[in-house]
Amino acid sequence: GHTMTDLAAMSQRQWALVWAAWLLALVSTLGALFFSEVMDLEPCVLCWYQRIAMFPLVLMLGMGLYLQDPRSGFYALPLAVLGWLVALYHCLLYGGFIPQGLQPCGEGNSCATQKLELVGFITIPLLSLCAFTLIVGLLLAARKGLTPCNPEN
């Protein structure tokens, strides 16, 4: 287990990983707001769940970086994993791997409807899945201190 002093002594590399996770969450949040507010694409239920997981990450990780709190990544991780699971489910639904009857979407927009595709296959759920995957990876790497070039490990 980690003692408090171990936690406080996060390496520059670990802070950089948390910073990168924060930046990704920020860009994802701005992207989501751009899609809904500027491009007028109304988010479906699953998109909302992903936003509920993504938007607070900007605040949690941002505050953690500002206060230099090494536990911020630990607090943010469950939310990021939850967002990742919803995004994965959304991609599987979108790709037709999950029957439409199992959709959580009743009223409003269908979660399986094609809304926006970049380069033919990059969809909003896929972008979300990639963002959450990277954020979870970065937070895990920062937490475990996976620093191969660090002789202290």
Side-chain angles (χ1 to χ4, degrees):
H2 287 294
T3 63
M4 233 16 179
T5 49
D6 290 340
L7 273 176
M10 265 177 74
S11 68
Q12 284 301 109
R13 185 184 153 98
Q14 286 170 299
W15 281 117
L17 292 168
V18 175
W19 197 87
W22 173 78
L23 202 61
L24 252 166
L26 181 68
V27 169
S28 301
T29 296
L30 294 174
L33 291 172
F34 176 81
F35 288 140
S36 61
E37 304 309 309
V38 180
M39 293 180 70
D40 221 29
L41 295 171
E42 193 187 322
C44 72
V45 176
L46 286 174
C47 288
W48 274 117
Y49 291 152
Q50 288 162 74
R51 287 168 173 225
I52 289 164
M54 184 66 78
F55 292 7
L57 288 176
V58 178
L59 294 172
M60 291 168 88
L61 295 172
M63 287 299 289
L65 288 166
Y66 179 73
L67 299 170
Q68 295 281 296
D69 181 355
R71 290 164 302 186
S72 58
F74 181 73
Y75 298 139
L77 194 58
L79 202 56
V81 170
L82 210 66
W84 182 85
L85 289 169
V86 176
L88 178 67
Y89 179 78
H90 198 175
C91 286
L92 291 172
L93 191 69
Y94 206 84
F97 297 102
I98 295 172
Q100 299 254 353
L102 292 175
Q103 284 189 40
C105 312
E107 294 300 306
N109 286 344
S110 162
C111 296
T113 314
Q114 267 346 57
K115 268 296 161 64
L116 172 79
E117 289 201 355
L118 310 165
V119 230
F121 72 96
I122 302 171
T123 60
I124 294 174
L126 186 64
L127 288 172
S128 173
L129 183 67
C130 291
F132 278 119
T133 302
L134 286 168
I135 290 169
V136 169
L138 288 163
L139 293 177
L140 284 174
R143 196 171 155 216
K144 287 200 170 81
L146 295 175
T147 48
C149 54
N150 186 349
E152 290 162 12
N153 278 359

